[in-house]
Amino acid sequence: MKSLCTTFVLLIVVASCSQTKERATDTTPREKIEVGDTVYLASTVKYVFTKMADKGDFVTPERTVTTHINLDANGQRVWSTYEPLQPFTFVLNQIPMIDGFKEVIVRMRQGDRMTAVIPSHLGYGERGNGPIPPNALLHFDIEVISVQ
């Protein structure tokens, strides 16, 4: 009985000492986000960094950004800059982009890689676009190669 009580007390102490990580959101500072953490935005977009650079310029509207992107719509690959190997270069806000993409790309810096899940209302919505069907859930795999 004494052994059982000791084990129970030990489990309570361990459970109370373990830190439960808070859910990362729009307001979570980058330095508190780790590779593999899911970040939930108020807009319903969510993303996970698969690689985070310690240094490098951040993506901002006036900068030229070169990326590699895989885009899946409803689980089907619809675009990839890896096949063929042709990076996508743009200046944010100078070409039309879906709101969900704009929301996540500005959270990245040169050398980062993330996976983002963008709901249809922040993607192509009811209209769809080319190979992207209406109301598609979008999965982006984004790698920022350079920011100039």
Side-chain angles (χ1 to χ4, degrees), residues 19-38:
Q19 295 181 353
T20 303
K21 192 167 187 169
E22 287 187 36
R23 183 174 167 155
T25 65
D26 303 66
T27 60
T28 304
R30 180 184 167 98
E31 54 273 3
K32 300 234 182 215
I33 298 170
E34 298 177 3
V35 168
D37 290 349
T38 301

Side-chain angles (χ1 to χ4, degrees), residues 12-144:
I12 291 173
V13 170
V14 168
S16 66
C17 290
S18 67
Q19 295 181 353
T20 303
K21 192 167 187 169
E22 287 187 36
R23 183 174 167 155
T25 65
D26 303 66
T27 60
T28 304
R30 180 184 167 98
E31 54 273 3
K32 300 234 182 215
I33 298 170
E34 298 177 3
V35 168
D37 290 349
T38 301
V39 181
Y40 299 86
L41 304 182
S43 67
T44 68
V45 168
K46 63 183 175 180
Y47 66 88
V48 175
F49 279 105
T50 55
K51 180 182 173 191
M52 292 180 79
D54 293 330
K55 298 178 181 177
D57 292 334
F58 282 95
V59 174
T60 57
E62 70 279 358
R63 310 291 295 274
T64 300
V65 182
T66 301
T67 62
H68 272 303
I69 298 173
N70 286 321
L71 171 58
D72 295 347
N74 294 339
Q76 297 293 316
R77 178 70 34 95
V78 294
W79 182 51
S80 177
T81 63
Y82 290 100
E83 301 164 18
L85 193 60
Q86 295 180 335
F88 176 56
T89 300
F90 60 92
V91 176
L92 194 61
N93 296 337
Q94 288 192 3
I95 62 172
M97 291 187 172
I98 61 170
D99 291 339
F101 184 84
K102 290 189 285 188
E103 190 171 0
V104 296
I105 195 72
V106 296
R107 298 169 190 279
M108 299 182 75
R109 70 186 326 160
Q110 182 172 319
D112 285 350
R113 188 167 185 168
M114 81 163 43
T115 301
V117 179
I118 299 174
S120 66
H121 72 278
L122 294 172
Y124 295 98
E126 294 179 359
R127 70 186 186 284
N129 187 16
I132 300 169
N135 301 312
L137 180 67
L138 304 177
H139 286 85
F140 279 89
D141 172 22
I142 309 162
E143 179 181 8
V144 177

